[in-house]
Amino acid sequence: MNPYSGYQNAYKRAAVNTLDQNKLIVMLYDGAIKNIQFALESMQRNEIERTHNALVKAKNIVAELMSSLNLEKGGEIAKNLQSLYNFMFNQLIEANIHKNPKPAKVALDLLRELREAWVYIGTPQKTAAPGQQPVRPAPGASDNKRVNLRG
């Protein structure tokens, strides 16, 4: 037993509790995407148990995304997301039952697209001159600039 494991777990809980909701949602998407990719790789190698476990994890993450929706505040967007999550959930079940990669790939593509949208939503807006719309960087664009420090 690692004597520091209690501290590490507390640190992880604190890190998750301080993340904003957008970052948590993106993390959930990342987890589902990673598990589907792992399931597809395992499926190709005919590793039935690993495929099953990875698809169950991805399905559970999609269920968590679905349960986190606020249908009252989210309106039509939340209802549309609920329909998409429900569809992906069913695709993952289908992929797992028949060990068929096609439904898993459909869910994977949708998750990637939605993840990109959430990343874009979470990107801070650049301030604009009065009377102009705030500007967001294009999806996938990086705002990082190199700074050379010499001392």
Side-chain angles (χ1 to χ4, degrees), residues 97-116:
I97 290 172
H98 301 289
K99 300 304 182 257
N100 181 353
K102 284 184 182 179
K105 288 178 183 176
V106 168
L108 179 63
D109 290 343
L110 284 169
L111 285 164
R112 285 177 173 155
E113 192 172 328
L114 288 169
R115 182 199 181 277
E116 188 175 313

Side-chain angles (χ1 to χ4, degrees), residues 23-109:
K23 287 182 183 176
L24 287 173
I25 291 169
V26 171
M27 286 173 64
L28 287 171
Y29 280 113
D30 288 342
I33 289 166
K34 179 186 78 163
N35 279 291
I36 295 172
Q37 290 171 328
F38 184 75
L40 290 169
E41 291 167 8
S42 298
M43 212 178 283
Q44 284 182 329
R45 293 188 300 267
N46 204 28
E47 297 172 340
I48 305 300
E49 187 175 351
R50 286 184 178 189
T51 300
H52 169 77
N53 292 338
L55 287 172
V56 167
K57 287 178 185 178
K59 181 180 65 72
N60 290 342
I61 293 170
V62 171
E64 181 63 31
L65 286 164
M66 201 177 332
S67 71
S68 71
L69 291 171
N70 185 333
L71 297 175
E72 289 179 22
K73 288 185 181 177
E76 196 65 30
I77 292 172
K79 289 177 187 171
N80 290 338
L81 279 172
Q82 183 181 40
S83 294
L84 283 170
Y85 292 152
N86 192 37
F87 174 75
M88 287 185 277
F89 187 88
N90 290 326
Q91 291 293 294
L92 293 171
I93 291 172
E94 182 76 17
N96 203 2
I97 290 172
H98 301 289
K99 300 304 182 257
N100 181 353
K102 284 184 182 179
K105 288 178 183 176
V106 168
L108 179 63
D109 290 343

